[in-house]
Amino acid sequence: MVVTDIKHLGHQVSLTDALRKGIDFLLRPDIHLLSDGRVEIDGDRVFALVQRYETVMTDAPRFEYHRKYIDIQYIVSGEEVIGWVHAERMVITEEYDEEKDICFGTAPEGEVTPVYLKAGQLTVLYPEDGHAPRLAAGRPSHVFKIVVKIAAG
């Protein structure tokens, strides 16, 4: 997992062609005008999911992980906490769905690392990174987030 401001990512991660396409997409000047939903960047290799939602307060966050895709979760506006735990430490509650590329579970008490993100910041989550997005940073708030999905293989 990598957590940084968008302007620093290129100095912290070796940018593959696919990662570069994802970052270039996030740096578009019209990013605020995008409608919610899927946006094609490079077919199924690189695409974006545009999302607007309210963060939630919960004592039992729902963790997920993906095997086929790396996530770049970028906060356009607002703030949120993403819980992180290594996927191997997750307690699986819903087995991996290959078609949807997702597995759900919980994290053992004391194993969660909270990651605070605000506008202009992102996290890069690899297949081994279990994560619980959409968590409130102190109190529920409105978030505009773009998740860029990059084929891992």
Side-chain angles (χ1 to χ4, degrees):
M1 175 180 62
V2 175
V3 179
T4 190
D5 290 345
I6 194 168
K7 63 185 175 183
H8 298 297
L9 185 63
H11 303 288
Q12 297 172 343
V13 174
S14 178
L15 294 180
T16 64
D17 182 51
L19 277 169
R20 170 58 55 205
K21 286 178 182 179
I23 296 303
D24 287 348
F25 175 82
L26 294 173
L27 292 172
R28 291 171 42 163
D30 64 343
I31 201 86
H32 286 82
L33 303 177
L34 293 173
S35 299
D36 286 14
R38 182 177 167 138
V39 179
E40 298 294 324
I41 300 171
D42 185 12
D44 285 336
R45 284 185 24 87
V46 183
F47 60 92
L49 303 172
V50 179
Q51 309 168 347
R52 289 173 177 84
Y53 55 83
E54 293 290 318
T55 58
V56 297
M57 301 286 295
T58 181
D59 292 328
R62 185 178 190 202
F63 282 80
E64 62 188 61
Y65 74 83
H66 316 285
R67 292 181 183 166
K68 297 178 185 176
Y69 286 93
I70 297 166
D71 279 5
I72 300 175
Q73 297 201 12
Y74 175 62
I75 305 297
V76 180
S77 65
E79 64 180 3
E80 80 175 41
V81 170
I82 297 176
W84 177 88
V85 67
H86 196 285
E88 290 179 354
R89 295 179 198 238
M90 285 174 52
V91 176
I92 304 304
T93 57
E94 293 179 43
E95 292 298 320
Y96 178 74
D97 181 328
E98 188 169 347
E99 186 176 313
K100 295 180 181 177
D101 186 39
I102 198 161
C103 179
F104 292 105
T106 60
E109 190 171 325
E111 294 282 328
V112 177
T113 300
V115 178
Y116 171 77
L117 296 173
K118 62 183 180 179
Q121 296 180 325
L122 58 82
T123 184
V124 180
L125 297 159
Y126 295 89
E128 62 271 12
D129 294 320
H131 52 284
R134 301 183 178 212
L135 303 177
R139 64 177 184 215
S141 66
H142 187 72
V143 170
F144 175 17
K145 177 163 75 175
I146 299 174
V147 178
V148 176
K149 307 288 277 183
I150 298 171

